[in-house]
């Protein structure tokens, strides 16, 4: 399957936040009153703001011309183009793929409200572009992840889903990080006497993407999905001769690492691989950018 041929759908486009989209075009609200954002119209010349976006409804209305609608309607007016042409424009800018509802919730708040509707092979352009930005090949992600449609607060969204051992999902898209119930660790068993441990699945996918780590491809893996689940993972981890820790380089991640090292000499801290970076994926992204820059300088 050629993933790069996937295009953003009309339904996915309509999930984008109009306020963020207008900002990406260089238009900022002149005034904000509750859910109403008022702009000097992007569609015509004026001095008094009469273009309104209701952020709760994610709809716009231009009082000067008596027109309004959703983001697709706006794009057709703004660019003077067809629906297909507008979707092609959106495909070129991943930053626009943000659900219009403010989804900045904690995992504990969101996991009890999320209902998984279905899951299938990764195909949405926005999610594939997101993985590309995280320097994770789609071929790697497709082995371990699914695309999920989920319901939250009576609205439907989509994201990258990574299943845990209790059939719950870790969900990611460019602007949303949450879990569906039940929350659990993810174990991948290859019958090895070594196990590699990651805090989140993006770090695990980065590890699988690094060619020099192919020597460890037969290792067992544990993705904690939350540091709070480390104790739950311990029986499986300590059933191995060696447990390699690839936890985040923040205070909490290093605290758990140090606690593990004090428990047994089976634990090995591998975070030196990505020292001076937040986590393994952050290091992988930075390394890829540096390599591209070096190649560019040689040309």
């Amino acid at each position: 399957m050629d993933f790069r041929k996937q295009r953003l759908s009309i339904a996915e486009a309509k999930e984008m936040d109009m306020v963020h989209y207008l900002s990406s075009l260089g238009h900022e609200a002149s005034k904000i009153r509750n859910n109403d954002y008022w702009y000097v119209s992007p569609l015509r010349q004026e001095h008094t703001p009469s273009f309104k976006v209701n952020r709760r409804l994610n709809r716009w209305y231009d009082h000067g011309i008596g027109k309004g609608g959703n983001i697709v309607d706006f794009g057709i007016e703004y660019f003077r183009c067809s629906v297909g042409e507008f979707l092609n424009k959106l495909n070129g800018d991943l930053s626009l793929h943000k659900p219009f509802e403010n989804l900045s919730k904690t995992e504990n708040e969101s996991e009890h409200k999320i209902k998984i509707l279905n899951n299938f092979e990764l195909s949405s352009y926005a999610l594939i572009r997101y993985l590309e930005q995280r320097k994770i090949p789609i071929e790697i992600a497709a082995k371990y992840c699914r695309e999920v449609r989920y319901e939250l607060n009576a609205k439907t969204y989509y994201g990258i889903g990574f299943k845990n051992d209790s059939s719950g999902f870790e969900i990611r898209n460019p602007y949303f990080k949450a879990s569906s119930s039940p929350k659990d660790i993810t174990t991948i068993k290859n019958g090895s006497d070594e196990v590699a441990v990651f805090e989140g699945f993006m770090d695990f996918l980065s590890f699988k993407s690094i060619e020099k780590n192919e020597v460890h491809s037969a290792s067992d893996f544990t993705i904690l999905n939350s540091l709070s689940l480390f104790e739950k993972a311990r029986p499986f981890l300590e059933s191995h001769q060696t447990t390699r820790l690839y936890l985040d380089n923040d205070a909490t991640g290093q605290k758990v690492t140090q606690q593990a090292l004090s428990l047994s000499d089976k634990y090995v801290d591998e975070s030196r691989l990505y020292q001076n970076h937040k986590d393994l994926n952050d290091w992988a992204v930075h390394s890829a950018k540096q390599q591209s820059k070096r190649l560019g300088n040689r040309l």
Side-chain angles (χ1 to χ4, degrees), residues 29-291:
S30 298
K31 59 182 177 180
I32 302 171
R33 292 181 179 174
N34 298 319
N35 290 314
D36 293 333
Y37 288 63
W38 291 88
Y39 297 81
V40 172
S41 178
L43 302 177
R44 57 192 170 79
Q45 295 292 324
E46 70 170 357
H47 298 290
T48 302
S50 63
F51 181 98
K52 183 181 74 172
V53 173
N54 184 291
R55 203 168 194 184
R56 181 177 64 83
L57 300 175
N58 202 39
R59 294 292 186 271
W60 62 276
Y61 187 81
D62 192 323
H63 289 268
I65 58 176
K67 288 186 178 181
N70 57 47
I71 193 171
V72 176
D73 299 318
F74 172 80
I76 293 170
E77 288 287 332
Y78 187 82
F79 292 108
R80 302 292 181 185
C81 65
S82 68
V83 173
E85 290 169 336
F86 179 57
L87 293 179
N88 284 334
K89 290 179 182 294
L90 294 183
N91 282 341
D93 190 351
L94 181 62
S95 68
L96 306 181
H97 299 278
K98 183 173 183 179
F100 66 80
E101 183 172 357
N102 181 5
L103 297 181
S104 57
K105 303 174 183 292
T106 66
E107 290 183 4
N108 289 334
E109 286 177 328
S110 58
E111 67 180 359
H112 301 296
K113 300 177 182 178
I114 289 176
K115 177 183 178 182
I116 301 297
L117 302 176
N118 52 33
N119 70 88
F120 43 88
E121 186 176 14
L122 283 166
S123 60
S124 290
Y125 185 92
L127 300 181
I128 293 168
R129 281 290 305 275
Y130 175 52
L131 288 165
E132 288 175 345
Q133 286 199 339
R134 300 293 292 266
K135 304 305 177 184
I136 295 171
I138 183 60
E139 294 79 11
I140 298 279
K143 291 180 181 179
Y144 302 100
C145 301
R146 303 283 288 173
E147 183 164 329
V148 296
R149 288 292 184 273
Y150 59 95
E151 185 179 272
L152 177 63
N153 297 332
K155 292 183 173 61
T156 301
Y157 302 99
Y158 64 105
I160 300 165
F162 182 75
K163 187 176 284 190
N164 63 38
D165 289 353
S166 295
S167 296
F169 279 95
E170 296 298 307
I171 303 171
R172 301 290 183 273
N173 67 34
Y175 295 93
F176 188 43
K177 175 180 179 180
S179 310
S180 68
S181 294
K183 183 84 172 179
D184 202 354
I185 64 173
T186 302
T187 54
I188 298 172
K189 302 172 182 177
N190 295 311
S192 175
D193 59 3
E194 285 194 3
V195 59
V197 186
F198 303 90
E199 196 166 323
F201 74 87
M202 284 294 181
D203 292 328
F204 164 68
L205 295 178
S206 291
F207 182 90
K208 297 295 291 184
S209 303
I210 300 171
E211 289 184 359
K212 68 180 181 180
N213 283 324
E214 285 303 309
V215 67
H216 298 298
S217 60
S219 170
D220 287 352
F221 298 95
T222 295
I223 298 83
L224 298 175
N225 297 319
S226 173
L227 285 176
S228 64
L229 295 177
F230 177 77
E231 285 299 318
K232 182 174 184 178
R234 276 187 61 189
F236 178 71
L237 301 181
E238 294 175 8
S239 68
H240 295 76
Q241 292 183 14
T242 304
T243 300
R244 302 186 181 279
L245 301 171
Y246 295 86
L247 304 185
D248 289 3
N249 267 329
D250 57 16
T252 307
Q254 286 305 295
K255 180 180 179 181
V256 173
T257 296
Q258 293 306 313
Q259 289 176 341
L261 295 176
S262 70
L263 294 171
S264 168
D265 57 7
K266 289 184 176 183
Y267 290 99
V268 179
D269 180 12
E270 298 288 358
S271 63
R272 63 184 180 279
L273 171 66
Y274 45 96
Q275 60 184 343
N276 302 321
H277 293 275
K278 183 175 74 70
D279 54 34
L280 183 59
N281 179 252
D282 182 54
W283 170 79
V285 170
H286 177 79
S287 297
K289 288 180 178 178
Q290 290 297 107
Q291 183 177 9

